[in-house]
Amino acid sequence: MSEAGGSGDLSSRSSGAGCDRLSLPSTSRNGAVPQRKQQRLSGRHRPQASGEEGREPEVAEDEPGQPGSAEGAGDERRRRMIRNQYRELIYSVQQNREDMLSSKSNRLTEALEEANKLFSAVSCAREAALDAQFLVLASNLGKEKASELHFGMTAFDSLAFAEDLLTFMGINRIEKEENDGDSDCEDISGGYLSCNAWHKLGAEAEQYFRRAPSFHYMLGSFKSDPPVPRQRIERQKKTTGGEEKRAMPAQLKKMEESHQEATEKEVERILGILQTHFKNDPDTPISFFDLVIDPKSFPRTVENIFHVSFIIRDGFARLKLDDDKLPIIEPSKDSERREGDGGAGKRNQVVISLNHQEWKEIVETYEITEPMISSPLKNEDDMDTA
Amino acid sequence: VSLQQDFPGLFLQEEEEEEEDFVLNQTPTYTQLLAFLHPQAIELVQFLLVKDQKKIPIKRADMLKKVIREYRDVYSEIINQATRTLQQVFGLELVEIDAKHHIYILTSSLPRAEGENLCQNDETAKLGLLTVILSFIFMKGNSAKDSAVWEFLRWLRVKPGQRHSIFGDVKKLVTEEFVRQKYLEITPIPLTDPPEFKYQWGLRAAKEISKKDVLRFVAKIQGKDPTFWTSQYNDAEATS
């Protein structure tokens, strides 16, 4: 028969539904406290079936002996909603602490205001306990925020640091990709990182470290055994190869000589053609393509280029680019020839590539109808010339 | 040429081969070094170089058991010789990071080379991640809660639950590999439920990078002067 018991009797009459009948002023929390205390006590006095603790998951047992009124069910739903909202609020504060701590954000204040709003609908101990839990969380955060103010004139803004890091790593700030489904409001800015973003950052960071480079043997750390069988195979191959080579030279010598002679002769012949043309018209340089291109035969063209390259190598002629950046060729004077032979002077190399298509195009563009270099005299190899 | 000046003993030179007396004040030449090196010291040098590949700190007990073995009575001289050799031949320093448990690491004692590092592999990327974490911890006052660290990393697109395209299992990398390498130290905060952890610099981090350098890094990224953060600046100055 304590006082608490007395007050319990009063409210137990309207036991489940009674919680919402009592309307509480939603002004300040201080005003609400003493009445809340009463509520809590009355709540405790209910039969044990309730077993209320603010953190328990939803169990639909806490209104025993409830008259099956629709109102009661609606209240229960509302209370469950409130509890859910509290839990969401608490979770979101926990997940976003750093964001709330940032001096730029007002989120802590906003969260407090939201909790205040929620609280206006609260009338039972269970929700109140959740509210208390949130208060603990918010005040811890507030304490941290305050201590950061203390900690030097400028607190460290980790959000800004993260943004600057992303910029350094080279983030592509374009529209968010479609598959970026999970990154909703958590990501601070849209865009994605390239695959060497972290490598770039690491390369910059390396300079600040006194890290010992990892030591690795260049050729691996084990002695290798395999080579022995391989050598045997190689030796066998060499013996057979040697015999072949011995057989070859006898034939080769013959061929090479004939080839070499043929080449030299050709080169001389072409040089003669070149010099004749130039003598007739000393001031006009000859277009390289006019000289070498044979409009009727692509292989002949390639051979011509081959022979002309000897002339240039030996310094008897020079390749230049004219004003239109097209190659021209002109015989070189005697004095210059010495330089070509020496080889100690400047050597320039040019690689010309010509395929069938290009050859055709040049024939068309330059309107070449006749080759400047006439067909060579027939030798034993050419069997099919008419 | 400059290499010759810094390490006169590095290359065998005709004249110096004739010098037999070991002058204590001079850096010993290469041949002198070899002549006076305990064979276990040479083995120890190789052992340390290989052990350092994974950046896991080396225990003195391991050195004694695996390399020095029966020469335990002169172990300190052997370690000294190994230290000198590492310094003179490789430019590496053998540093004791834990004097109580006798744990060592190798650091570089050469000034950092200018220019871009041409070898950029996964280790480089991991170092980037580590540096970011170390910076965060330092700027937050040398200690940070795990929830704070991971929230920060989330902003950088690094999420503990997701497999990262470069780091793979990030949670494992940070909480296991970095901790084993002694780059990070993670200790549980008592009386927290669910359990929360405190992230701090590990013993290796303290030897491989200074607070000043980290502050310089942060300042460079943010385009500010290090003195912008007063108390961190003072902290860094005090610890150098």
Side-chain angles (χ1 to χ4, degrees):
Chain A
M1 285 300 194
S2 59
E3 216 173 11
S7 59
D9 286 336
L10 269 171
S11 54
S12 62
R13 228 181 305 133
S14 44
S15 66
C19 278
D20 349 67
R21 296 270 170 76
L22 293 165
S23 57
L24 298 165
S26 58
T27 45
S28 72
R29 288 177 178 264
N30 286 333
V33 164
Q35 280 163 329
R36 314 294 287 107
K37 241 196 228 167
Q38 231 184 9
Q39 273 296 356
R40 209 163 282 160
L41 287 173
S42 66
R44 293 266 161 77
H45 260 283
R46 285 215 217 111
Q48 308 107 311
S50 42
E52 278 194 350
E53 297 290 269
R55 293 181 203 184
E56 267 168 14
E58 292 298 341
V59 182
E61 39 49 72
D62 43 22
E63 319 298 340
Q66 164 98 298
S69 63
E71 225 184 58
D75 289 336
E76 179 45 40
R77 232 178 288 131
R78 226 179 303 146
R79 287 176 58 209
R80 204 176 302 155
M81 240 178 50
I82 294 175
R83 283 199 292 272
N84 273 337
Q85 283 170 320
Y86 262 120
R87 285 197 201 102
E88 266 176 40
L89 189 61
I90 290 172
Y91 181 73
S92 111
V93 169
Q94 278 172 339
Q95 287 301 311
N96 293 304
R97 329 176 68 251
E98 278 304 297
D99 199 11
M100 299 207 168
L101 282 177
S102 155
S103 54
K104 280 197 264 187
S105 99
N106 251 345
R107 283 183 67 166
L108 186 57
T109 319
E110 288 164 15
L112 276 170
E113 280 169 7
E114 197 180 321
N116 228 2
K117 256 189 270 167
L118 277 180
F119 185 68
S120 58
V122 165
S123 48
C124 282
R126 200 165 160 185
E127 289 79 47
L130 272 175
D131 182 77
Q133 193 186 351
F134 171 80
L135 250 188
V136 168
L137 190 59
S139 51
N140 271 337
L141 221 59
K143 186 178 81 162
E144 242 186 88
K145 257 196 141 165
S147 68
E148 274 187 7
L149 280 177
H150 212 256
F151 186 76
M153 303 312 286
T154 19
F156 174 59
D157 190 341
S158 43
L159 191 58
F161 183 46
E163 283 186 359
D164 289 334
L165 276 171
L166 286 172
T167 310
F168 181 85
M169 291 200 269
I171 186 170
N172 298 304
R173 291 181 198 274
I174 57 168
E175 295 300 309
K176 274 209 272 271
E177 305 283 303
E178 304 88 58
N179 52 8
D180 231 358
D182 61 331
S183 59
D184 25 75
C185 35
E186 279 181 6
D187 287 346
I188 47 181
S189 38
Y192 61 94
L193 286 172
S194 59
C195 38
N196 71 333
W198 284 101
H199 296 83
K200 190 171 171 195
L201 187 67
E204 171 68 30
E206 259 176 354
Q207 299 171 25
Y208 301 87
F209 275 83
R210 271 189 297 281
R211 200 189 220 187
S214 284
F215 177 84
H216 294 282
Y217 289 100
M218 279 173 74
L219 299 177
S221 52
F222 298 115
K223 285 209 176 106
S224 45
D225 288 341
V228 178
R230 268 190 233 144
Q231 278 168 8
R232 275 187 236 130
I233 299 167
E234 273 167 13
R235 264 182 243 130
Q236 279 171 3
K237 277 192 190 151
K238 274 186 197 155
T239 47
T240 48
E243 283 167 19
E244 278 172 17
K245 273 197 189 144
R246 269 181 256 134
M248 287 265 290
Q251 296 170 4
L252 268 174
K253 275 192 196 144
K254 269 196 204 162
M255 293 245 315
E256 278 217 14
E257 269 172 33
S258 64
H259 265 246
Q260 229 171 13
E261 280 179 4
T263 312
E264 275 176 14
K265 283 194 186 137
E266 264 301 291
V267 171
E268 275 182 35
R269 193 176 70 92
I270 291 175
L271 183 59
I273 295 174
L274 187 64
Q275 284 171 332
T276 314
H277 274 270
F278 215 70
K279 225 183 293 178
N280 297 340
D281 202 355
D283 294 321
T284 323
I286 303 165
S287 157
F288 178 71
F289 291 121
D290 278 337
L291 177 64
V292 297
I293 298 271
D294 182 336
K296 299 197 180 73
S297 164
F298 178 62
R300 281 284 310 143
T301 307
V302 175
E303 257 189 63
N304 289 341
I305 298 178
F306 174 64
H307 292 134
V308 168
S309 68
F310 279 94
I311 299 178
I312 296 173
R313 180 199 70 174
D314 293 334
F316 291 104
R318 272 178 317 178
L319 259 184
K320 290 205 297 218
L321 292 179
D322 68 0
D323 297 326
D324 296 321
K325 299 277 190 235
L326 297 170
I328 52 169
I329 188 167
E330 52 186 30
S332 53
K333 306 181 187 57
D334 275 327
S335 54
E336 292 164 4
R337 239 175 267 174
R338 294 292 157 213
E339 286 173 40
D341 286 336
K346 208 171 69 169
R347 264 195 196 274
N348 293 320
Q349 291 184 23
V350 175
V351 176
I352 300 179
S353 78
L354 194 72
N355 63 27
H356 201 266
Q357 181 65 28
E358 286 168 0
W359 168 71
K360 274 190 147 358
E361 282 170 8
I362 292 175
V363 168
E364 273 180 50
T365 317
Y366 279 76
E367 293 172 357
I368 302 171
T369 46
E370 289 289 321
M372 257 175 96
I373 300 172
S374 48
S375 309
L377 299 165
K378 311 217 176 7
N379 50 16
E380 313 95 67
D381 297 340
D382 286 341
M383 302 285 273
D384 51 345
T385 40
Chain B
V1 169
S2 65
L3 201 63
Q4 194 105 10
Q5 281 170 352
D6 295 330
F7 300 100
L10 196 57
F11 305 110
L12 282 175
Q13 290 170 19
E14 290 280 307
E15 324 87 69
E16 278 157 311
E17 270 193 280
E18 289 155 12
E19 286 178 18
E20 285 301 328
D21 16 291
F22 187 95
V23 181
L24 280 168
N25 294 328
Q26 274 178 3
T27 323
T29 62
Y30 184 56
T31 34
Q32 288 170 348
L33 205 63
L34 269 191
F36 288 97
L37 266 185
H38 199 288
Q40 304 314 107
I42 301 175
E43 255 193 64
L44 186 60
V45 166
Q46 293 183 354
F47 174 78
L48 290 169
L49 286 171
V50 173
K51 268 288 209 174
D52 184 64
Q53 281 171 359
K54 297 235 167 24
K55 298 293 168 200
I56 296 181
I58 310 144
K59 297 187 209 122
R60 192 170 74 185
D62 279 341
M63 290 192 231
L64 289 171
K65 189 169 98 175
K66 301 217 167 116
V67 181
I68 301 179
R69 297 185 300 258
E70 62 268 24
Y71 297 96
R72 288 179 92 97
D73 44 338
V74 290
Y75 82 90
S76 91
E77 176 55 30
I78 292 175
I79 292 184
N80 284 343
Q81 286 186 8
T83 310
R84 259 205 313 275
T85 310
L86 283 166
Q87 177 64 263
Q88 288 172 347
V89 179
F90 296 92
L92 296 176
E93 210 178 310
L94 183 66
V95 179
E96 189 173 31
I97 57 171
D98 187 334
K100 189 167 142 207
H101 300 105
H102 303 295
I103 301 181
Y104 297 80
I105 58 165
L106 288 181
T107 62
S108 167
S109 59
L110 294 176
R112 287 153 207 146
E114 283 294 319
E116 197 187 319
N117 182 9
L118 294 173
C119 166
Q120 285 188 15
N121 51 17
D122 280 340
E123 293 305 313
T124 321
K126 284 188 203 169
L127 193 65
L129 178 66
L130 175 70
T131 313
V132 150
I133 297 175
L134 290 176
S135 315
F136 181 78
I137 294 174
F138 167 62
M139 298 300 282
K140 282 287 187 186
N142 298 308
S143 163
K145 275 171 101 162
D146 60 343
S147 50
V149 173
W150 287 103
E151 190 185 338
F152 177 70
L153 288 178
R154 256 209 334 269
W155 291 335
L156 299 174
R157 320 287 203 264
V158 173
K159 298 177 180 139
Q162 269 179 10
R163 188 170 175 81
H164 194 267
S165 54
I166 298 173
F167 302 122
D169 188 344
V170 198
K171 187 102 195 212
K172 189 164 175 216
L173 173 64
V174 172
T175 57
E176 288 180 30
E177 193 173 315
F178 285 163
V179 171
R180 215 177 322 132
Q181 294 173 334
K182 302 261 186 233
Y183 274 118
L184 283 181
E185 195 177 281
I186 301 183
T187 43
I189 302 177
L191 305 174
T192 46
D193 182 47
E196 291 178 6
F197 296 90
K198 185 165 66 163
Y199 281 41
Q200 288 169 303
W201 281 28
L203 292 168
R204 181 191 279 273
K207 294 283 183 210
E208 283 194 11
I209 191 169
S210 68
K211 291 180 179 179
K212 246 173 126 170
D213 284 327
V214 163
L215 188 59
R216 264 180 41 224
F217 171 73
V218 173
K220 180 167 177 185
I221 296 283
Q222 297 219 258
K224 295 192 160 65
D225 192 80
T227 51
F228 180 72
W229 297 274
T230 329
S231 59
Q232 287 93 334
Y233 181 75
N234 292 334
D235 183 8
E237 289 293 308
T239 328
S240 53

